[in-house]
Amino acid sequence: MTRACLQALWSHWRRNPLQLFTFLAGLALATALWSGVQAINAEARASYDAAATTLGEGRFDQVLPKAGEGFAQEVYVDLRRAGWQVSPVVEGRLRLDDGAVRVIGLDPLTTPGALSPVAGTRDIDLSGFLTVGVLFADVATAARLADLPQEVVVDASVAPDTVLTDVGVAQRLLERPGTLSRLIVAPEQPMGLLPLADVAPGLMRVAAQGSSDVGQLTDSFHLNLTAFGLLSFAVGIFIVHGTIGLVFEQRRGMVRTLRTLGVPLRRLMGLMAAELLALSLVAGMIGVVLGYIVAALLLPDVAATLEGLYGAQVAGGLQLRPVWWLSGLGIAVLGAGLAGAGALWRIARMPILASARPRAWAMVAGRGRQVQGAVAVVLLALAAVIGALDLGLLASFVLLGCLMIGAALALPLIVGAVLALGQARARGVISGWFWADTRQQLPGLSLALMALLLAMAANVGVSTMVSSFRLTFVDFLDQRLFADAYVRGIDRDQMPGVEAYLIAQGYDVLPLLSVDTRLAGVPSELMGARVGPAYARNWSFVDAGPDAWAQVAAGEAVIANEQLVRRAGLWLGDALDIGDGLRLPLVGVYGDYGNPVGQAIVAETLFTSLFPEEAPRQFGVLGAPAEDLRADLGAEFGVPSSSVVDQAAVKAFSLGIFERTFTVTAALNVLTLAVAGFAILMSLLTLSAIRLPQLAPVWAMGLTRGTLARIDLLRALVLAALTAVLALPLGLALAWVLLAVVNVQAFGWRLPMYLFPLDYARLGVLTLAAAGLAALWPAFRMARTPVSQLLGVFANER
Amino acid sequence: MLLDVRNVTKSFAGADGPVPVLAGVDMALDLGQTLSLQGESGSGKSTLMHIVGALDTADSGEILFDGRDIAALDEAGRAALRRSEVGVIFQQFNLIPSLDVTENIRFQARLAGREDPAGVAHLIEVLGLGPHARKYPEQLSGGQQQRVAIARALAVRPRLILADEPTGNLDEATAAEVLAQMLALVADTGAALMVVTHSPAVAARMDRQLHLRAGRLA
């Protein structure tokens, strides 16, 4: 019986291959975008975990210098003598021909268990690690270390762009003899230890954070990606839902017949559910493969984004991790289950003698319209309430969900009302029929239109956010890069001579000194600047006290970027410890977009007194065209022309990084819109198959097939245009939520919102083109429908 | 002569080659005349009706409509002929589901540019559709839907009315009532009527009865 039933059920798909394709393609596309995003997230998280495991971040308490980059190794010896179970770490950037890698030196004898890879590598003996020097790195990084004298061992668990070695070897490589960066505190400590402040007053203990800093920093970015993945998945599920609904409606007759012939309902339901499961697994597998391709294409840009925004290192290669391909299959099955549950339920409740006529008209009549409207109103009201209250990051994503789903549910009602208005005002007979028939088609196209609405609103919202961010960023660059040219990358010994020469030439020279350090426990950059009128004229603050620059110039105060003050929980009036026990009041907070680390600025004189060995790393030069400077400095000092950079080039470089940062978002935007276009195509193709009985009488009364095809094309364009018009305010609302709610919750700062009418017009044209393209094939099929097929509608012996 | 059909042939593609449906049919029909076309299933009666109604084309032969050869018309020409000269009543009614009763009745007349509100109102009244004028097809019974289809075909004031099993989906009493109303209205317009039917009772009400057997008139 089971085999016969399955054969009967499968015969529907065999006779309707387009429906089978729609189901598989819709679910596969939905799964692809979801699992693609999951693959990227899994890869990034694996990289963070590798880094955290390597460095002990998150798992063990750390002892760090209160200020500065490092501390003397003797302090470590003092702590060990005092009984502290601590292990030394030295870390820094090692410059190679093709960039830099992060070098981390550990002591395998004192490192807490399972932190060092030495223990897990059988063919490396400990004495070799300690004496000759062995470097551990992943495959890509190991290849870059070929010129180093040390043996390089490939270890996939080491974070990307990171080299792990013995602490002594690291000190030699980094040229920091006798200096340590931090200490890892073992979980078990002897009783009666002397307090840390007594043994090492310059150090402070930081508690384990449970997860890595970078993991927390990037959570918001990954949440955004996941939200995009979910949105794409929702768009795909709209396709699947429509197909499953149609398939089950069309099989009502078969179900009735099978039950009449004695197949128990329970068996039939089980077989239909199994059929759904099998198909969703097939679609899921196709989707996972497609997702892998999407992820592999996007991952390099995501890696660049994470490094640009957060300084997080993510491997550029993709691994087949079970967590995401299993989640891909899982979500395919879940999506098909969600889409098919309602249809299965209706079949289960169908009386055995119920009419086998498809309930297409019941669907058309839109019995659930009132319920749908009520749910939409409730969701939109909920969104408004959450928007008005300050409930945290998760709530702001709930707000986004309510807004998008509520608007999607409201769409068919609003479009229906507009179409009714069109019908009421139509003068001609064909236009009257056009509006009436479009209303008739609306329920069948609703899901595709909702998908289009979501895709387009996401496009408007995200592009508004990105473009607003871009404008703000450009403005920020104009403030920060006010010098005409920058001199950098020349020999430190040459710097004083070059500076003196430039001043003698009458140029305004602004040297920039900096050291990497920790300020208030936050990895930061402390800068020394020659504060003058140029700074006061060009820089704008997020918040500042009166005469902020004057106080900084006098060496009496410090200013810091938002990243530092928010992470350290500081604001104006608080004091910041900048080293050697010197605490200065914070008098200004400035925006510093795209900088992953904290930053503070003090006067040049104060900086040089704190760090007398530091020389300026670069100069900003006012009033000097870069071309002239290149010629002058080249002739006088032999400075290569590449060391003199003009302001425009720096801006272009910064903007280049920025643009790459949002490549992923743009790619996901396009993919989502493409999926929505596919949804329209599939809906129109599906409808065209069941629509012949509606069109044949109109054809019989004297409209040609070509005219009907053109009307169908126009219908798709009108519906897409209506959807686009409604997507615009929804997209702007989305942008506002992203900028004014999500951004504030995630990053702590709010961006101004700008409008970009030309971009929206371009997107509208793109949407119409997508809808037009999607409608072209069904319209072409309509124009070429054989007369015999149209006549078949009128045949008596059907 | 309104309709003059000469040696018309038509075949359809089958699994084993072309299957002849009409094998040289000759017939004529003039204004004010009624004619029934009977035959077994597959005898070609619906095909012949479709060809004379410019819904389909013949493989060979001539179909002269008021002296014009339909076979020589292109698709647009055939569509124009259907729009203004032919009214078709189908067994399945084939109303436009998105339009209400009145709009359905007016539809073809408006397409042909011959809308006559008074005429439409008269048809609605005569056919007893007044209480249903704003209803949609799905809200009507089969008999009511067929009355709407008749009204729609007549509202355009065609010269040729084709009815394919017009009462085939109706119960006996309703069928008799609908047929009577249709014949009375057709007689009023002076159009030619060709009815395809299995029913001897329906055929008996026509001026002439033709039988098709294996693609030929018997």
Side-chain angles (χ1 to χ4, degrees), chain A residues 4-23 242-255 258 272 275-276 279 347 358 686 689-690:
Chain A
C5 283
L6 278 176
Q7 236 168 0
L9 290 172
W10 178 247
S11 68
H12 177 85
W13 297 110
R14 218 178 44 236
R15 299 271 300 162
N16 298 278
L18 182 67
Q19 284 178 12
L20 181 62
F21 173 74
T22 308
F23 179 91
T243 311
I244 289 183
L246 182 69
V247 167
F248 277 68
E249 284 299 315
Q250 289 186 344
R251 291 207 297 202
R252 284 164 67 90
M254 182 196 291
V255 168
L258 289 173
M272 290 174 95
E275 178 195 35
L276 209 57
L279 287 174
I347 291 278
T686 307
I690 59 172

Side-chain angles (χ1 to χ4, degrees), chain A residues 361 427-430 433 436-437 440 694 697-705 787 791 793-794 796-798, chain B residues 41 50 55-56 75-76 79 82-83 90-92 94 96-99 107-108 110-111 152 164-165 198:
Chain A
W361 295 122
R427 294 261 175 262
V429 58
I430 294 179
W433 172 72
D437 190 54
Q440 185 86 33
Q694 298 158 31
V698 184
W699 166 79
M701 280 184 279
L703 257 62
T704 62
R705 289 170 294 174
V787 168
L791 289 173
V793 172
F794 310 125
N796 296 333
E797 292 88 10
R798 279 189 295 156
Chain B
S41 293
H50 291 154
L55 290 161
D56 202 355
E75 188 177 352
R82 289 199 302 271
R83 209 154 51 220
F90 299 103
Q91 180 182 358
Q92 309 286 349
N94 293 109
I96 298 173
S98 53
L99 302 180
F107 189 76
Q108 192 178 354
R110 294 182 73 196
L111 277 183
R152 180 178 68 184
D164 192 358
E165 296 284 5
H198 278 110

Side-chain angles (χ1 to χ4, degrees), chain B residues 13-65:
Chain B
D16 302 319
V19 179
V21 179
L22 298 176
V25 173
D26 296 285
M27 60 160 277
L29 184 65
D30 209 350
L31 286 168
Q33 290 183 346
T34 60
L35 177 151
S36 71
L37 199 55
Q38 290 176 275
E40 300 293 318
S41 293
S43 61
K45 48 188 194 303
S46 287
T47 304
L48 181 59
M49 192 193 86
H50 291 154
I51 289 172
V52 299
L55 290 161
D56 202 355
T57 52
D59 292 343
S60 66
E62 287 181 319
I63 308 105
L64 301 175
F65 189 96

Side-chain angles (χ1 to χ4, degrees), chain A residues 158-334:
Chain A
V158 179
D161 286 332
T162 302
V163 178
L164 208 61
T165 186
D166 172 60
V167 67
V169 178
Q171 285 173 333
R172 284 201 297 279
L173 282 172
L174 297 170
E175 296 175 7
R176 286 190 205 161
T179 305
L180 297 176
S181 303
R182 57 194 169 90
L183 302 172
I184 297 170
V185 182
E188 302 291 330
Q189 296 289 336
M191 302 281 284
L193 275 179
L194 276 173
L196 181 67
D198 292 356
V199 188
L203 302 184
M204 63 180 182
R205 182 170 176 163
V206 176
Q209 293 155 347
S211 64
S212 64
D213 279 349
V214 78
Q216 288 174 351
L217 267 178
T218 54
D219 266 356
S220 174
F221 178 80
H222 290 297
L223 195 57
N224 273 309
L225 276 188
T226 304
F228 239 118
L230 258 180
L231 181 65
S232 308
F233 181 74
V235 169
I237 286 303
F238 277 127
I239 306 173
V240 178
H241 191 278
T243 311
I244 289 183
L246 182 69
V247 167
F248 277 68
E249 284 299 315
Q250 289 186 344
R251 291 207 297 202
R252 284 164 67 90
M254 182 196 291
V255 168
R256 191 190 66 165
T257 306
L258 289 173
R259 289 186 62 197
T260 311
L261 295 176
V263 179
L265 179 63
R266 191 182 291 260
R267 172 84 62 98
L268 197 53
M269 298 300 299
L271 289 175
M272 290 174 95
E275 178 195 35
L276 209 57
L277 176 69
L279 287 174
S280 59
L281 282 175
V282 170
M285 279 189 268
I286 298 169
V288 165
V289 172
L290 290 174
Y292 185 87
I293 295 168
V294 169
L297 290 174
L298 294 181
L299 191 60
D301 285 319
V302 172
T305 302
L306 289 165
E307 185 165 7
L309 278 179
Y310 309 103
Q313 300 290 321
V314 173
L318 191 64
Q319 290 182 40
L320 208 61
R321 294 179 195 280
V323 64
W324 71 262
W325 65 259
L326 279 176
S327 84
L329 285 183
I331 200 135
V333 172
L334 182 73

Side-chain angles (χ1 to χ4, degrees), chain B residues 102-184:
Chain B
T102 308
E103 289 167 335
N104 259 290
I105 294 171
R106 292 166 62 201
F107 189 76
Q108 192 178 354
R110 294 182 73 196
L111 277 183
R114 279 191 208 145
E115 193 185 8
D116 171 13
V120 169
H122 172 68
L123 285 169
I124 289 175
E125 188 192 331
V126 169
L127 289 165
L129 292 170
H132 311 294
R134 287 296 158 202
K135 287 183 181 169
Y136 284 85
E138 75 202 50
Q139 298 169 299
L140 302 178
S141 68
Q144 288 163 344
Q145 289 194 57
Q146 194 58 299
R147 286 186 180 93
V148 177
I150 291 167
R152 180 178 68 184
L154 293 171
V156 75
R157 296 197 305 280
R159 287 196 284 171
L160 175 63
I161 296 171
L162 303 172
D164 192 358
E165 296 284 5
T167 55
N169 265 0
L170 307 179
D171 63 73
E172 205 174 324
T174 309
E177 193 182 341
V178 166
L179 185 65
Q181 287 173 329
M182 183 178 80
L183 288 172

